[in-house]
Every structure is written in structure tokens, then in C-alpha cells.
């Protein structure tokens, strides 16, 4: 028991020290000399406290001092508040919002940038009204860039014809700020739901991002259309909520995939939580196993059919981009 207690104490000290160092270092979207110095001092205090565990005379004093310091850091960190008022990158400058009528939803600030390269683009937005009675289905895009376990997921609502509204849940970045998985744990990014034309948010990833290359897969979800309408309204409600009360993005708990699962809780038939949601690259496989994708063919064959990079690159600036990236899939569905 003494050994277990000592091991747990050491592990707790190591983990809380690492967390405290990162929390202080990253701070509130800014890392200055003061924060770097404070993070180093807290790291040294954690190391000294770890060493003091072998010195009975000093152990209690160091543990007390360390505990007080950690509580101060935790209290300060919990007091960091999200904001919609920062100097945002151009692509994250405008937030979408929705207004509701009886059977229609008007979505404002739908992003539709014209890209010349990943970082060279002409900003453009539009407003469009969607008839809930015309919702035909929901598609899932899974986009890979670092192996099979991690993917960025995007939901797209199909209102027929070329009317597809994509929603990409991401970290909202400030000017000059890059994305860091580690920073995403420490209240560094606000959460944003980018509502966009597929010619923007999908084409950006298939046609213009090359470092690294991104591979996109398109799956049609299976389920009652009533669930799709509720999910769409849930998304729009959340988007409006973030306009009024911003929230922090979290790499693990509130990201592009876990947030999708949270939104599906509006339907009673939602999927149980799974580790394949955390490791988002395996989400399509989980959906297949749960009968939420087309199961008439084996999953590897379905995944091969779902790959759309070549179709997206051929469609590029075509106004019927959404139709063209689905053309072969519609044929496959009809022939199966």
C-alpha cells in the first residue's frame, strides 16, 4: 500500500506539473516573457517537490507550497473566458447565424471563398433560405492527413439539387496563429462552426492544401429524415448560441467529431459513445458497424468508393461542384 501511495503521488506530481507549466506558458492566447518565466519557476517547484518526497524533513513543506501554487494556477486558468472579439484570421472573421420561420431557416454569412491557393483567397459570403421539407439527407466528409486514426469530419446537409450546406467545427484562430493539438487543451482557441458552401470548405482541402496532402471521403448517412431535420435545427441553434456566448475549443472533448456526436443527442436513436469517436479516423467504420452507412458492400469497398479527391479536383471551380463530387456515387447506389 505504501508503494502504491508513493507511486500515485509521484504520478500526480508529474502530471499536474506538466499541466501547470503548459497552462501558464500558453496563458490567455499570448505567451510573453513573464509567462515563460512563471512556467519555468512552476516546473522547478514541481521538480523540487518530487525530490522532497525522499526527504521526510522537507516533504510536507514542499507539498504544501506546491499545492497552494497549483490551486492558484488552476483558479486563474478557470477564470480565462472565451471571446468573440479578437483579431481573427480573415477566414474566421465572420460568424454564421440563422433566423427561423415556420418551415424554413435562413442562414446568414455562409462562407464561399474563391481560392487561388490555401492562403490566397477572395472572401465572399452569402445568405440562403432552406426549406426543412426539402431536406433529403446528410453526408459525412472524413478528411485524412496524418494516418488512419485521425480525421477532420464535416457534416453536410443535402437540400436537393446543388443545395448542400456544410458545417465544419474547428478551432477559431487569431491573426498569425497556427493550430497546435497541445494548445487545444489549454483554452487557446474559441470554438467555431464554419457554415460554408462545399465549394469552399471541401475544395480547400482537396484542391489547395498540399503540405500535407489531404484525402477526403464522402459518405451518405442512413436514418430517418425526421432525425436529420432535428439535427439541422440543433446545429443552427448551437451556431446562434456561440454568437451570443462563445465557448472554448478542446482537442479531446469539444472538437470536430465529439461536437458532432453531442449534437446528435437531440435524437433518441443516437449512437452510443465509442473510442472510435475520439480516434475520429475510425468514425466511418463505427458508423458502418452501427448500420448508419450503406452496408450492402464490404466497408473497404465502400471506403474506396467514398474517396473524392479526383472528382473534386476535376470539378474545381464548377458551380455544380457538389453534384459532380457525388455523380459516381449516385450511379453506384442505383446499380447496387
Amino acid at each position: 500500500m505504501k508503494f502504491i501511495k508513493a507511486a500515485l503521488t509521484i504520478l500526480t506530481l508529474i502530471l499536474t506539473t506538466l499541466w501547470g507549466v503548459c497552462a501558464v506558458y500558453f496563458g490567455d492566447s499570448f505567451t510573453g516573457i513573464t509567462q515563460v518565466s512563471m512556467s519555468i519557476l512552476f516546473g522547478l517547484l514541481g521538480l523540487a517537490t518530487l525530490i522532497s518526497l525522499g526527504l521526510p524533513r522537507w516533504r510536507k513543506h514542499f507539498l504544501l507550497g506546491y499545492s497552494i501554487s497549483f490551486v492558484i494556477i488552476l483558479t486563474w486558468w478557470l477564470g480565462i473566458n472565451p471571446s468573440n472579439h479578437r483579431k481573427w484570421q480573415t477566414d474566421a472573421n465572420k460568424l454564421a447565424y440563422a433566423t427561423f420561420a415556420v418551415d424554413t431557416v435562413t442562414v446568414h454569412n455562409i462562407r464561399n471563398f474563391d481560392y487561388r491557393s490555401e492562403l490566397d483567397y477572395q472572401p465572399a459570403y452569402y445568405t440562403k433560405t432552406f426549406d426543412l421539407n426539402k431536406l433529403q439527407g446528410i453526408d459525412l466528409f472524413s478528411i485524412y492527413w496524418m494516418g488512419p486514426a485521425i480525421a477532420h469530419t464535416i457534416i453536410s446537409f443535402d437540400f436537393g439539387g446543388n443545395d448542400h450546406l456544410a458545417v465544419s467545427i474547428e478551432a477559431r484562430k487569431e491573426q498569425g496563429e497556427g493550430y497546435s493539438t497541445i494548445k487545444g487543451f489549454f483554452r487557446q482557441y474559441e470554438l467555431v462552426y464554419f457554415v460554408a458552401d462545399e465549394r469552399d470548405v471541401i475544395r480547400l482541402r482537396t484542391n489547395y492544401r498540399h503540405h500535407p496532402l489531404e484525402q477526403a471521403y464522402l459518405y451518405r448517412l442512413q436514418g430517418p429524415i425526421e432525425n436529420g431535420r432535428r439535427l439541422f435545427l440543433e446545429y443552427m441553434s448551437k451556431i446562434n448560441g456561440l454568437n451570443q456566448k462563445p465557448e472554448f475549443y478542446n482537442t479531446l472533448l469539444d472538437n470536430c467529431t465529439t461536437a458532432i456526436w453531442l449534437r446528435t443527442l437531440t435524437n433518441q436513436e443516437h449512437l452510443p459513445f465509442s473510442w472510435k469517436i475520439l480516434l475520429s479516423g475510425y468514425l466511418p467504420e463505427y458508423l458502418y458497424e452501427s448500420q448508419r452507412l450503406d452496408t450492402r458492400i464490404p466497408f473497404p469497398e465502400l471506403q474506396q468508393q467514398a474517396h473524392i479527391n479526383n472528382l473534386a479536383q476535376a470539378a474545381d471551380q464548377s458551380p455544380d461542384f457538389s453534384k459532380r463530387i457525388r455523380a459516381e456515387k449516385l450511379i453506384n447506389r442505383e446499380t447496387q
Side-chain angles (χ1 to χ4, degrees):
M1 290 300 296
K2 288 183 178 180
F3 173 79
I4 294 174
K5 183 179 179 181
L8 288 175
T9 302
I10 291 171
L11 180 62
T12 300
L13 270 173
I14 292 173
L15 293 178
T16 54
T17 299
L18 289 174
W19 181 90
V21 166
C22 289
V24 174
Y25 176 80
F26 292 124
D28 185 7
S29 292
F30 176 77
T31 299
I33 296 177
T34 301
Q35 288 174 229
V36 172
S37 301
M38 293 298 292
S39 65
I40 293 173
L41 288 174
F42 183 73
L44 292 174
L45 176 60
L47 178 61
T49 305
L50 193 62
I51 295 172
S52 76
L53 295 179
L55 304 170
R57 181 179 176 183
W58 298 100
R59 184 187 309 155
K60 289 184 179 180
H61 299 289
F62 272 97
L63 284 172
L64 178 61
Y66 178 86
S67 299
I68 292 173
S69 299
F70 180 79
V71 168
I72 291 173
I73 291 173
L74 180 61
T75 302
W76 163 79
W77 185 78
L78 291 174
I80 298 175
N81 295 314
S83 173
N84 281 331
H85 305 289
R86 302 187 193 276
K87 294 182 179 180
W88 304 112
Q89 291 185 3
T90 303
D91 61 339
N93 194 37
K94 286 189 177 182
L95 293 178
Y97 66 96
T99 52
F100 303 89
V102 178
D103 288 321
T104 63
V105 178
T106 300
V107 185
H108 307 262
N109 291 338
I110 300 172
R111 204 178 76 183
N112 190 27
F113 286 14
D114 186 19
Y115 292 90
R116 292 175 287 271
S117 69
E118 179 183 357
L119 302 177
D120 182 12
Y121 46 76
Q122 179 62 45
Y125 297 86
Y126 65 88
T127 296
K128 191 175 184 66
T129 298
F130 297 90
D131 186 341
L132 294 175
N133 297 311
K134 292 184 178 180
L135 183 66
Q136 296 183 0
I138 300 176
D139 293 316
L140 175 78
F141 291 90
S142 290
I143 300 154
Y144 298 80
W145 70 97
M146 56 179 297
I150 302 298
H152 179 63
T153 52
I154 297 174
I155 287 287
S156 185
F157 296 91
D158 177 4
F159 287 91
N162 204 43
D163 285 342
H164 297 265
L165 187 68
V167 183
S168 178
I169 302 171
E170 302 181 30
R172 193 179 187 189
K173 298 187 288 292
E174 299 175 57
Q175 293 178 12
E177 186 176 38
Y179 178 75
S180 163
T181 300
I182 295 176
K183 286 177 65 175
F185 286 103
F186 294 95
R187 299 190 166 200
Q188 291 299 293
Y189 307 109
E190 275 72 16
L191 181 68
V192 61
Y193 282 51
F194 287 121
V195 183
D197 196 292
E198 288 182 352
R199 287 184 66 254
D200 178 325
V201 75
I202 303 302
R203 189 166 62 110
L204 167 64
R205 290 165 166 82
T206 56
N207 295 26
Y208 294 101
R209 284 188 178 167
H210 306 299
H211 305 289
L213 292 172
E214 299 189 9
Q215 302 298 322
Y217 296 79
L218 168 59
Y219 302 93
R220 172 52 63 101
L221 299 177
Q222 308 291 312
I225 198 63
E226 293 79 11
N227 288 353
R229 293 190 186 99
R230 278 193 292 269
L231 183 61
F232 179 74
L233 290 173
E234 172 67 16
Y235 263 78
M236 295 302 109
S237 176
K238 181 65 178 181
I239 287 165
N240 282 353
L242 289 174
N243 273 269
Q244 301 300 319
K245 187 178 180 181
E247 298 176 11
F248 281 117
Y249 171 93
N250 185 278
T251 299
L252 182 65
L253 301 177
D254 206 347
N255 56 42
C256 66
T257 307
T258 54
I260 291 176
W261 180 80
L262 288 170
R263 303 283 72 78
T264 65
L265 296 180
T266 190
N267 291 316
Q268 291 185 349
E269 301 89 348
H270 67 82
L271 291 178
F273 194 78
S274 166
W275 63 269
K276 290 183 179 180
I277 294 174
L278 293 177
L279 294 181
S280 52
Y282 300 115
L283 177 62
E285 184 180 359
Y286 178 46
L287 292 169
Y288 182 88
E289 294 166 351
S290 303
Q291 310 294 311
R292 302 301 174 91
L293 299 181
D294 187 352
T295 57
R296 291 175 293 176
I297 58 176
F299 179 72
E301 185 177 342
L302 179 67
Q303 187 178 43
Q304 185 177 12
Q305 289 184 7
H307 189 244
I308 63 166
N309 278 59
N310 290 338
L311 293 171
Q313 289 161 9
D316 198 30
Q317 299 188 31
S318 174
D320 61 347
F321 178 87
S322 293
K323 278 187 176 181
R324 292 183 61 177
I325 64 174
R326 290 170 171 83
E328 291 184 10
K329 290 163 184 55
L330 292 174
I331 294 173
N332 289 333
R333 288 195 198 112
E334 292 172 357
T335 57
Q336 288 169 3

